[in-house]
Amino acid sequence: MKVSREEYQKMAEKASPPSPFWKNAAMAFLTGGLICCAGQALVNFYQGLGMDLQTARGFVSVTLILASALLTGLRVYDNVAKHAGAGTLVPITGFANAVVSPAIEFKSEKIVTGTCAKMFTIAGPVLVMGITASILYGLILWALGLAG
């Protein structure tokens, strides 16, 4: 069966309906905003316990990472992400989800060759690039400090 380029294009358009861009953008905005609002509520909560702002922010990061990891393990985070889209990927919770998801997926391959080896398959490149960029940025600042 030979299909022309035009026929293939028509078949592809029919098979994949357009995504609802504005709905997806609104859901991502709302979900990301809710996660950030929860983070601010946690900052206020921790400051109410007597912590200074910097310490409270550290505790918020840990809390959001822990919550994301637990919700990923309970299969809740992925179900929310199906509807919320990028709103769950951008905040710190998305990074925790990116680490925990592969670890859960490959747990049947045992602890070392499965969970530990696959844990950073998605998040690994992000860590490498982030660390590399921070080193380069630090070297540039150091060099400018010596020159100026």
Side-chain angles (χ1 to χ4, degrees):
M1 177 175 161
K2 195 148 183 147
V3 178
S4 72
R5 183 175 284 231
E6 292 81 23
E7 290 172 327
Y8 179 79
Q9 185 66 29
K10 287 179 185 176
M11 289 171 45
E13 287 174 11
K14 187 177 180 181
S16 57
S19 65
F21 174 79
W22 293 108
K23 177 187 171 233
N24 291 346
M27 287 301 294
F29 178 79
L30 290 172
T31 306
L34 284 172
I35 292 170
C36 293
C37 286
Q40 184 60 51
L42 286 168
V43 168
N44 296 345
F45 171 75
Y46 287 131
Q47 283 187 306
L49 295 177
M51 295 180 190
D52 63 275
L53 182 60
Q54 186 174 357
T55 304
R57 287 178 177 166
F59 271 78
V60 168
S61 295
V62 171
T63 303
L64 289 176
I65 290 169
L66 178 63
S68 175
L70 286 173
L71 291 174
T72 299
L74 296 171
R75 305 276 187 221
V76 173
Y77 198 90
D78 292 335
N79 290 330
V80 171
K82 285 178 189 174
H83 303 287
T88 58
L89 299 176
V90 176
I92 194 169
T93 55
F95 185 76
N97 175 263
V99 172
V100 175
S101 290
I104 292 170
E105 184 177 340
F106 292 99
K107 71 180 180 182
S108 63
E109 295 180 24
K110 305 297 181 232
I111 189 79
V112 174
T113 58
T115 301
C116 293
K118 304 293 184 178
M119 188 180 312
F120 294 106
T121 56
I122 296 172
V126 174
L127 288 170
V128 169
M129 294 309 295
I131 292 168
T132 303
S134 66
I135 290 170
L136 289 174
Y137 183 69
L139 288 173
I140 290 168
L141 286 178
W142 177 75
L144 291 175
L146 288 178

